[in-house]
Amino acid sequence: MVTRGFSSGRRPPTDDDARIPPGQHLEQGFPVLSAGPTPRVRTEDWSFTLKHGPRPIKKWNWAEFNALPLTKMTRDIHCVTAWTKFDTPWQGVLVDDILADAGVEPPTGFTLAHAFDGYTTNVPVKDLTAGKAMVALLYEGKPITPDHGGPARLLVPHLYFWKSAKWLNGLQFTTRDEPGFWELRGYHIYGDPWREQRYTDDP
């Protein structure tokens, strides 16, 4: 029996609640958010370049990149606009395997991700390696659609999703933590959803 005045009306926390960072809500769909028009990149025209500063280390075309080891990764993702989506299934090439194929160790501690539309975002190397991030080629077992960043996008699921650059065409090692497109416009330099690092002034 519940006595009026002694019930909070709140449900007990669930396991799902523990997976949702502060200030987020659960999203069943997959909203499309972009900084500008959606580029239509043909796989015949796609390439990926790994650089150290302005110097190319190695470049892959679509066939060469798809010949690298493919890994499946299912992760929750968190958008800075306050939605979280559970268990998103991706397949692609781990950044570790890209570095291995190029025969290099990270020469610096920082990277800039580059996209076909000119978009950039900064990600520390430690957040890309040790199995934490990939260049995703498939979503739900199918080629990634252009509006979700296909044919290839960066996937860094433990950071806010603006760090998972769409239409990816390169990673560049930089000597310092250089802000990218949204970071120059007031977004946080790192973007940890569990610390609510949405904007520059957030701790």
Side-chain angles (χ1 to χ4, degrees), residues 20-186:
I20 301 176
Q24 299 286 109
H25 68 269
L26 186 60
E27 171 63 54
Q28 299 298 331
F30 198 158
V32 175
L33 300 168
S34 301
T38 298
R40 306 285 170 172
V41 183
R42 300 189 311 161
T43 55
E44 300 94 320
D45 301 325
W46 185 89
S47 64
F48 179 88
T49 305
L50 187 67
K51 293 182 177 182
H52 181 193
R55 180 179 64 86
I57 299 172
K58 187 166 183 175
K59 185 175 182 178
W60 297 260
N61 63 27
W62 183 253
E64 292 165 340
F65 198 83
N66 277 262
L68 299 179
L70 295 181
T71 299
K72 293 181 179 180
M73 182 183 289
T74 299
R75 297 289 187 275
D76 300 344
I77 55 175
H78 315 287
C79 182
V80 72
T81 59
W83 57 263
T84 285
K85 183 173 177 62
F86 287 166
D87 299 322
T88 60
W90 307 86
Q91 189 170 353
V93 182
L94 293 175
V95 173
D96 303 286
D97 289 328
I98 296 171
L99 296 176
D101 192 68
V104 297
E105 294 290 331
T108 73
F110 307 103
T111 68
L112 266 180
H114 291 267
F116 275 88
D117 64 343
Y119 179 88
T120 58
T121 190
N122 61 307
V123 186
V125 169
K126 65 180 178 63
D127 292 284
L128 295 177
T129 54
K132 294 179 182 175
M134 67 164 49
V135 176
L137 307 174
L138 302 173
Y139 179 72
E140 294 185 328
K142 300 176 182 178
I144 301 171
T145 58
D147 56 339
H148 285 299
R153 71 174 299 157
L154 188 61
L155 178 67
V156 192
H158 63 284
L159 299 180
Y160 278 126
F161 213 44
W162 90 78
K163 295 290 185 176
S164 295
K166 296 180 177 182
W167 314 298
L168 192 72
N169 69 354
L171 282 175
Q172 176 188 17
F173 291 104
T174 57
T175 56
R176 63 183 183 88
D177 201 9
E178 297 183 19
F181 179 88
W182 284 119
E183 294 83 12
L184 288 169
R185 290 160 175 79

